[in-house]
Amino acid sequence: MAFDIVPLIAGNWKMNGLRASLDEVTRLKDLLKTGAASYCSIAICPPATLLAAMSTQAAGSGIAVGGQDCHQAASGAHTGDISAAMLADAGARYVIVGHSERRADHGETDALVSAKASAAIEAGLIPIICVGESEAERKAGLAAKIVGGQLAASIPDAAADADFVVAYEPVWAIGTGLTPTSAEITAMHDNLRAQLAARFGKKGATIQLLYGGSLKPGNAREILAIENVNGGLVGGASLLANDFFAIISAA
Ligand code: PEP
């Protein structure tokens, strides 16, 4: 991990969690009081139904909250959607955009992800922009090309003057228990860093580049030690405070 970039460990609760699940945040707050993870930025992206309550609960603890998606428009006739400003109003600091489950389940394109990231920036949120190749693409030797293309097209020009985060999440590693080798993660993150530097200059060297996909307490230390891995986006292992804290501590 590059030590001039403060790592971010962000939890993605996906469509999991009822109000009782907020007890995990209480547990995490207690664990964080030990000071074992003071170097790290921490965020949890719960379902939208829990966002405001979690934001209130997490106040003053160092745990930021985030949305899992936002609409690209500021407001309007979009039944069931949530705007970036609404997330910010509920206490969010971050919003995930372009998660592979949104790309697959809702047909989200790079252009739409870019528009969502712009909307997030406009609302004062930090977008966590996700990219990642499928298993077939990796097997065909296309991972670098696909992910590089997604990165170029999913980050809006507005990001040049704003905070944003990139998460590399190989689709085949999400929720499967599989992970790329350290050499594969290194190669991908080095490529992404070079691409960000080429587009954004000095700022490109400071953008947090997260790894996501079956990040667990057992592999976190090795993966988070890789140069150009500046934290993680964590799905399943973020649901339980003990597991999430172990990953935070590894960073
Ligand atoms: C994710 O969906 O962002 C993710 C990384 O999931 P998991 O950690 O469960 O693989």
Side-chain angles (χ1 to χ4, degrees):
M1 183 140 29
F3 277 92
D4 46 349
I5 302 179
V6 175
L8 168 67
I9 303 294
N12 173 14
W13 278 19
K14 310 192 186 193
M15 199 171 72
N16 297 294
L18 302 174
R19 277 181 295 173
S21 315
L22 295 173
D23 290 350
E24 291 302 318
V25 180
T26 306
R27 261 178 225 124
L28 182 62
K29 279 169 69 173
D30 287 343
L31 290 165
L32 290 169
K33 280 184 194 147
T34 62
S38 53
Y39 181 64
C40 217
S41 295
I42 301 162
I44 300 177
C45 302
T49 47
L50 294 180
L51 203 102
M54 190 183 287
S55 162
T56 303
Q57 191 191 9
S61 69
I63 304 168
V65 300
Q68 297 178 9
D69 176 51
C70 65
H71 196 276
Q72 67 276 20
S75 62
H78 303 289
T79 303
D81 279 313
I82 298 177
S83 74
M86 290 169 181
L87 295 174
D89 189 49
R93 176 165 165 72
Y94 295 92
V95 59
I96 299 169
V97 293
H99 191 282
S100 63
E101 287 153 14
R102 298 286 318 173
R103 291 178 185 260
D105 297 351
H106 300 271
E108 295 196 359
T109 61
D110 291 334
L112 181 59
V113 174
S114 173
K116 289 183 175 204
S118 281
I121 290 167
E122 187 64 35
L125 296 177
I126 301 174
I128 300 175
I129 302 170
C130 300
V131 294
E133 82 285 0
S134 68
E135 186 177 19
E137 288 161 347
R138 176 154 288 270
K139 282 191 174 147
L142 294 172
K145 185 166 178 262
I146 294 290
V147 175
Q150 288 177 343
L151 189 77
S154 301
I155 302 178
D157 288 338
D161 300 314
D163 287 335
F164 70 98
V165 176
V166 170
Y168 167 57
E169 299 205 302
V171 179
W172 51 273
I174 293 177
T176 59
L178 303 172
T179 54
T181 64
S182 289
E184 287 167 337
I185 297 173
T186 302
M188 184 63 78
H189 278 240
D190 286 356
N191 279 347
L192 296 177
R193 176 68 67 211
Q195 195 174 327
L196 289 171
R199 179 165 170 194
F200 295 105
K202 270 193 196 156
K203 178 194 168 82
T206 66
I207 291 161
Q208 287 159 322
L209 262 176
L210 313 186
Y211 168 79
S214 296
L215 196 58
K216 307 263 184 250
N219 60 20
R221 198 163 286 277
E222 181 180 344
I223 291 175
L224 296 174
I226 296 171
E227 203 186 344
N228 283 322
V229 172
N230 318 114
L233 183 54
V234 187
S238 71
L239 293 171
L240 294 177
N242 282 341
D243 287 351
F244 196 45
F245 180 72
I247 295 172
I248 292 166
S249 302

